Amino acid sequence: MAGLVGFHRREQKPAWWAYFDRQERGLEELQEGEECLAECRRDGEDWLGTEARSFTYRFHYPEQETKLRAGSEVCLAAGGASAGEIIAVDEARRLVTLKRGKKSGPPPEEASFIPGQPFRVDVLRQAVWTVAADLAAGGAGYPHIAALLRREPPRLTGRTAGSPVIPPDACNDPTQLLAAAIAAVRTLDRSWLVIQGPPGAGKTYTISHLIAALIADGKTVGIASNSHKAIDNVLHAVETRLHGAGRPVAILGQKKDGAGDDRFAGRGYIASVADNKRVDTSLPILAGTAWLFAREDLRASRDVLFVDEAGQVSLGNLVAMAQGARSLVLVGDQMQLAQPIQGAHPRDSGVSALDHLLGGHAVVPPERSIFLSRTWRMHPNLCGFISAAVYDGQLR
C-alpha cells in the first residue's frame, strides 16, 4: 500500500515534464514532434463557424506528420493555455478545425498546438490516501481492499476459506459453471473474486448474468473499466439480460459519460449523464471509469463493483475505485495489453490489478477465481497450442 500512495503523482510526472518541455521548443522542433501541430494559420476569411454552443476555428498548417486527431484536447505552445478540442483533421488539405467555448474568445490567428494537460487525478489520489490512512490506522473500512492487496483467498459466506470457488464437477459444464458463479458472487463477503478467460470465453456473457442476478436480489452494482467502449459493451449485455428476463423498461442505472457526443444508448434501462451533479447514487446500476467510483460521495455505495479488462487497470486505479464498493469482481485476461505505465514505481505498485492477483501463475488458482476454460472462437488445434503455451493446458 505504501508504494501505491504516490502512484498517481509518479505516473503523471513524465506527462507534465513533456507538457512544459513542448512550450520551450522552437517551431522546427514542434514540427518534428508528431504529437504537435506547428505554424497553424487561420484558413481564409470564413475560418470561423459554429457548433451548438461553441465556435469553431479552421486553421491551415504546413506539411508535417501529426498524431493529433479529432477528439484531442490541445493547448497553445506559447504559454500552455487551453486552445480547445480538435473536431476535424483533413490531412490531404492540411486543415485542422478546433471547437472552443464562446466565453473563451477566439484563439490567436497564428498558433502552434500541443497536446492538452494531463488528466486531473486529484480524486484518484485522495481516494488512495483515504484507503491508506484507514489501513495504517488499523481500521476496518476497506476489508475487501486489504484482502486483495494481501492476496488473501476470497471470503464467501458459508464457504470454507481456501475451498474452490467453483465446485470441480461444475467447471466443465457451461450451464453449471454459470449457476455456480452466480452463487459465488451472491455470497461475497467484503472480499474479491477474479473471472479469468481469453477472448471468446464468454466473460461479458457471464458477468452480465451475474449483474442481472444481483439486481434481481435488490443489490447495487458498479461497472468500471479504463475504456468507455468496454463499459458500454457490458451495459449492452446487461440490458439484454434484463430484457430477456421480462424486466419492464425503466431507468435502473446511469452511465457517466464524457462531455462529447459519443454517449451510451441502449434499450432504455441505462441513462447516459455527463454532469457529475446528475449522478444518482440511489440507482441499482452505476457505470463509469475510476474517476466516478473514486468520488467521496460514492464511498461504499455499491454492493459489488465489476471491473472489466482488469488486465489493463493499474493497481493504483483499482484501489481508488474500490473504495466505492463493498466487494470486487475483476474480469480479464493476463494476455490483454496492460495499461501503459509512464512513471517509475517501487516494488509492484506499477503492475496491473490482474497481474498482482495472478502472482506469477498462468491461471489464477481455483480457490481465488473462476476460470472460463472453454473458448468459442478458436479451432481446436489452435486452442490446444494456446492452452499449452499460455494457460497451463487448462483451456479447451
Side-chain angles (χ1 to χ4, degrees):
M1 188 71 219
L4 294 174
V5 168
F7 170 81
H8 294 97
R9 177 184 58 81
R10 294 190 301 269
E11 186 64 10
Q12 284 214 312
K13 273 187 177 181
W16 280 110
W17 288 337
Y19 168 73
F20 288 112
D21 174 69
R22 291 178 188 122
Q23 295 177 48
E24 302 296 325
R25 296 181 188 177
L27 288 176
E28 186 174 340
E29 289 180 296
L30 289 171
Q31 280 191 354
E32 292 176 353
E34 293 185 352
E35 70 279 2
C36 307
L37 264 177
E39 290 192 276
C40 300
R41 292 180 171 83
R42 81 173 197 175
D43 183 49
E45 295 300 322
D46 62 342
W47 72 309
L48 174 64
T50 60
E51 181 179 296
R53 298 181 180 179
S54 301
F55 284 127
T56 63
Y57 303 88
R58 189 178 65 251
F59 292 84
H60 184 273
Y61 60 88
E63 186 171 352
Q64 60 190 287
E65 297 288 334
T66 183
K67 294 180 180 178
L68 293 175
R69 293 291 181 266
S72 299
E73 296 284 342
V74 291
C75 292
L76 299 172
S82 174
E85 176 191 350
I86 293 178
I87 59 172
V89 178
D90 185 338
E91 294 185 83
R93 299 168 61 198
R94 298 203 299 276
L95 297 175
V96 59
T97 305
L98 301 183
K99 180 173 70 173
R100 187 174 165 94
K102 292 181 179 180
K103 293 183 180 180
S104 300
E109 296 185 6
E110 297 184 10
S112 295
F113 302 117
I114 62 176
Q117 295 183 2
F119 289 116
R120 293 289 178 181
V121 295
D122 297 1
V123 66
L124 302 182
R125 292 179 64 180
Q126 182 57 52
V128 173
W129 271 101
T130 299
V131 173
D134 180 81
L135 296 182
Y142 307 99
H144 58 306
I145 299 177
L148 183 144
L149 292 176
R150 296 171 185 147
R151 300 191 186 95
E152 295 174 356
R155 292 186 298 270
L156 304 177
T157 302
R159 306 273 192 100
T160 303
S163 61
V165 175
I166 302 295
D169 59 353
C171 290
N172 295 322
D173 182 286
T175 302
Q176 292 185 45
L177 189 148
L178 179 59
I182 292 173
V185 171
R186 279 173 164 161
T187 58
L188 271 174
D189 179 19
R190 300 301 303 272
S191 192
W192 60 273
L193 193 63
V194 169
I195 298 177
Q196 183 189 4
K203 294 189 294 296
T204 302
Y205 174 85
T206 300
I207 64 173
S208 65
H209 277 278
L210 303 184
I211 292 169
L214 290 173
I215 296 303
D217 293 343
K219 302 293 187 181
T220 56
V221 171
I223 302 167
S225 185
N226 281 355
S227 159
H228 282 282
K229 183 178 179 180
I231 297 169
D232 290 353
N233 188 42
V234 174
L235 287 175
H236 283 302
V238 170
E239 287 199 321
T240 298
R241 302 286 89 76
L242 295 172
H243 180 74
R247 187 98 183 198
V249 176
I251 298 299
L252 293 176
Q254 292 177 331
K255 158 79 187 305
K256 173 62 178 68
D257 276 311
D261 297 327
D262 192 12
R263 303 283 191 85
F264 176 78
R267 293 174 178 264
Y269 296 100
I270 307 297
S272 170
V273 296
D275 186 349
N276 281 328
K277 294 179 181 179
R278 292 186 59 200
V279 173
D280 184 354
T281 59
S282 69
L283 289 170
I285 302 173
L286 289 180
T289 61
W291 277 260
L292 172 64
F293 294 103
R295 288 167 39 181
E296 185 176 3
D297 58 319
L298 264 74
R299 185 174 302 168
S301 68
R302 305 292 96 189
D303 290 309
V304 182
L305 175 64
F306 289 80
V307 182
D308 196 23
E309 297 187 345
Q312 299 178 348
V313 176
S314 67
L315 191 57
N317 277 8
L318 178 69
V319 169
M321 68 175 89
Q323 67 95 46
R326 300 179 185 89
S327 291
L328 296 169
V329 176
L330 282 67
V331 186
D333 180 57
Q334 79 273 25
M335 297 308 294
Q336 289 176 317
L337 291 175
Q339 177 185 6
I341 295 297
Q342 304 295 325
H345 303 285
R347 297 178 289 280
D348 292 332
S349 59
V351 302
S352 76
L354 191 57
D355 282 339
H356 169 75
L357 293 173
L358 279 167
H361 295 281
V363 175
V364 180
E367 67 274 11
R368 297 169 180 265
S369 76
I370 299 169
F371 180 61
L372 304 179
S373 61
R374 179 174 294 183
T375 179
W376 307 92
R377 292 186 190 172
M378 285 191 284
H379 187 280
N381 292 340
L382 178 58
C383 180
F385 172 77
I386 297 295
S387 178
V390 180
Y391 297 101
D392 284 346
Q394 297 186 43
L395 185 65
R396 297 181 294 110

PDB file of all heavy atoms in Angstrom, residues 305-317:
ATOM      1  N   LEU A 305     -18.623  -4.172  -7.200  1.00  0.00           N
ATOM      2  CA  LEU A 305     -18.076  -3.434  -8.337  1.00  0.00           C
ATOM      3  C   LEU A 305     -17.414  -4.415  -9.287  1.00  0.00           C
ATOM      4  O   LEU A 305     -16.508  -5.152  -8.898  1.00  0.00           O
ATOM      5  CB  LEU A 305     -17.056  -2.391  -7.865  1.00  0.00           C
ATOM      6  CG  LEU A 305     -16.306  -1.627  -8.970  1.00  0.00           C
ATOM      7  CD1 LEU A 305     -17.278  -0.787  -9.798  1.00  0.00           C
ATOM      8  CD2 LEU A 305     -15.213  -0.744  -8.370  1.00  0.00           C
ATOM      9  N   PHE A 306     -17.879  -4.443 -10.539  1.00  0.00           N
ATOM     10  CA  PHE A 306     -17.285  -5.273 -11.575  1.00  0.00           C
ATOM     11  C   PHE A 306     -16.290  -4.422 -12.359  1.00  0.00           C
ATOM     12  O   PHE A 306     -16.657  -3.362 -12.879  1.00  0.00           O
ATOM     13  CB  PHE A 306     -18.358  -5.814 -12.523  1.00  0.00           C
ATOM     14  CG  PHE A 306     -19.246  -6.860 -11.901  1.00  0.00           C
ATOM     15  CD1 PHE A 306     -20.301  -6.498 -11.080  1.00  0.00           C
ATOM     16  CD2 PHE A 306     -19.015  -8.206 -12.139  1.00  0.00           C
ATOM     17  CE1 PHE A 306     -21.116  -7.461 -10.496  1.00  0.00           C
ATOM     18  CE2 PHE A 306     -19.820  -9.184 -11.562  1.00  0.00           C
ATOM     19  CZ  PHE A 306     -20.874  -8.809 -10.744  1.00  0.00           C
ATOM     20  N   VAL A 307     -15.042  -4.881 -12.449  1.00  0.00           N
ATOM     21  CA  VAL A 307     -14.001  -4.155 -13.168  1.00  0.00           C
ATOM     22  C   VAL A 307     -13.621  -4.976 -14.394  1.00  0.00           C
ATOM     23  O   VAL A 307     -12.966  -6.014 -14.279  1.00  0.00           O
ATOM     24  CB  VAL A 307     -12.768  -3.915 -12.276  1.00  0.00           C
ATOM     25  CG1 VAL A 307     -11.714  -3.117 -13.041  1.00  0.00           C
ATOM     26  CG2 VAL A 307     -13.173  -3.171 -10.998  1.00  0.00           C
ATOM     27  N   ASP A 308     -14.066  -4.520 -15.561  1.00  0.00           N
ATOM     28  CA  ASP A 308     -13.795  -5.246 -16.797  1.00  0.00           C
ATOM     29  C   ASP A 308     -12.418  -4.873 -17.332  1.00  0.00           C
ATOM     30  O   ASP A 308     -11.898  -3.790 -17.068  1.00  0.00           O
ATOM     31  CB  ASP A 308     -14.867  -4.926 -17.835  1.00  0.00           C
ATOM     32  CG  ASP A 308     -14.873  -5.912 -18.992  1.00  0.00           C
ATOM     33  OD1 ASP A 308     -14.392  -7.048 -18.814  1.00  0.00           O
ATOM     34  OD2 ASP A 308     -15.367  -5.553 -20.076  1.00  0.00           O
ATOM     35  N   GLU A 309     -11.846  -5.811 -18.099  1.00  0.00           N
ATOM     36  CA  GLU A 309     -10.498  -5.643 -18.650  1.00  0.00           C
ATOM     37  C   GLU A 309      -9.508  -5.277 -17.547  1.00  0.00           C
ATOM     38  O   GLU A 309      -8.709  -4.347 -17.665  1.00  0.00           O
ATOM     39  CB  GLU A 309     -10.492  -4.611 -19.777  1.00  0.00           C
ATOM     40  CG  GLU A 309     -11.339  -5.028 -20.973  1.00  0.00           C
ATOM     41  CD  GLU A 309     -11.222  -4.100 -22.169  1.00  0.00           C
ATOM     42  OE1 GLU A 309     -10.716  -2.969 -22.012  1.00  0.00           O
ATOM     43  OE2 GLU A 309     -11.636  -4.510 -23.268  1.00  0.00           O
ATOM     44  N   ALA A 310      -9.564  -6.045 -16.464  1.00  0.00           N
ATOM     45  CA  ALA A 310      -8.742  -5.753 -15.286  1.00  0.00           C
ATOM     46  C   ALA A 310      -7.252  -5.912 -15.562  1.00  0.00           C
ATOM     47  O   ALA A 310      -6.430  -5.405 -14.800  1.00  0.00           O
ATOM     48  CB  ALA A 310      -9.155  -6.658 -14.124  1.00  0.00           C
ATOM     49  N   GLY A 311      -6.908  -6.625 -16.641  1.00  0.00           N
ATOM     50  CA  GLY A 311      -5.504  -6.723 -17.018  1.00  0.00           C
ATOM     51  C   GLY A 311      -4.940  -5.408 -17.517  1.00  0.00           C
ATOM     52  O   GLY A 311      -3.725  -5.253 -17.643  1.00  0.00           O
ATOM     53  N   GLN A 312      -5.829  -4.445 -17.804  1.00  0.00           N
ATOM     54  CA  GLN A 312      -5.397  -3.123 -18.271  1.00  0.00           C
ATOM     55  C   GLN A 312      -5.569  -2.044 -17.212  1.00  0.00           C
ATOM     56  O   GLN A 312      -5.274  -0.881 -17.455  1.00  0.00           O
ATOM     57  CB  GLN A 312      -6.188  -2.743 -19.523  1.00  0.00           C
ATOM     58  CG  GLN A 312      -5.988  -3.691 -20.688  1.00  0.00           C
ATOM     59  CD  GLN A 312      -6.820  -3.314 -21.897  1.00  0.00           C
ATOM     60  OE1 GLN A 312      -7.705  -2.482 -21.811  1.00  0.00           O
ATOM     61  NE2 GLN A 312      -6.522  -3.926 -23.025  1.00  0.00           N
ATOM     62  N   VAL A 313      -6.056  -2.426 -16.038  1.00  0.00           N
ATOM     63  CA  VAL A 313      -6.298  -1.461 -14.963  1.00  0.00           C
ATOM     64  C   VAL A 313      -5.148  -1.518 -13.969  1.00  0.00           C
ATOM     65  O   VAL A 313      -4.841  -2.587 -13.423  1.00  0.00           O
ATOM     66  CB  VAL A 313      -7.630  -1.761 -14.246  1.00  0.00           C
ATOM     67  CG1 VAL A 313      -7.834  -0.824 -13.060  1.00  0.00           C
ATOM     68  CG2 VAL A 313      -8.800  -1.647 -15.223  1.00  0.00           C
ATOM     69  N   SER A 314      -4.512  -0.388 -13.733  1.00  0.00           N
ATOM     70  CA  SER A 314      -3.404  -0.360 -12.782  1.00  0.00           C
ATOM     71  C   SER A 314      -3.909  -0.634 -11.378  1.00  0.00           C
ATOM     72  O   SER A 314      -5.065  -0.345 -11.035  1.00  0.00           O
ATOM     73  CB  SER A 314      -2.696   0.995 -12.825  1.00  0.00           C
ATOM     74  OG  SER A 314      -3.551   2.013 -12.339  1.00  0.00           O
ATOM     75  N   LEU A 315      -3.040  -1.192 -10.556  1.00  0.00           N
ATOM     76  CA  LEU A 315      -3.407  -1.481  -9.165  1.00  0.00           C
ATOM     77  C   LEU A 315      -3.766  -0.190  -8.432  1.00  0.00           C
ATOM     78  O   LEU A 315      -4.667  -0.171  -7.590  1.00  0.00           O
ATOM     79  CB  LEU A 315      -2.252  -2.196  -8.466  1.00  0.00           C
ATOM     80  CG  LEU A 315      -2.534  -2.803  -7.091  1.00  0.00           C
ATOM     81  CD1 LEU A 315      -3.686  -3.792  -7.139  1.00  0.00           C
ATOM     82  CD2 LEU A 315      -1.272  -3.490  -6.549  1.00  0.00           C
ATOM     83  N   GLY A 316      -3.081   0.903  -8.756  1.00  0.00           N
ATOM     84  CA  GLY A 316      -3.395   2.191  -8.130  1.00  0.00           C
ATOM     85  C   GLY A 316      -4.796   2.655  -8.448  1.00  0.00           C
ATOM     86  O   GLY A 316      -5.530   3.131  -7.570  1.00  0.00           O
ATOM     87  N   ASN A 317      -5.207   2.527  -9.717  1.00  0.00           N
ATOM     88  CA  ASN A 317      -6.569   2.922 -10.086  1.00  0.00           C
ATOM     89  C   ASN A 317      -7.603   1.993  -9.465  1.00  0.00           C
ATOM     90  O   ASN A 317      -8.699   2.419  -9.102  1.00  0.00           O
ATOM     91  CB  ASN A 317      -6.718   2.922 -11.619  1.00  0.00           C
ATOM     92  CG  ASN A 317      -6.213   4.206 -12.244  1.00  0.00           C
ATOM     93  OD1 ASN A 317      -5.617   5.040 -11.584  1.00  0.00           O
ATOM     94  ND2 ASN A 317      -6.441   4.362 -13.523  1.00  0.00           N
TER      95      ASN A 317
END
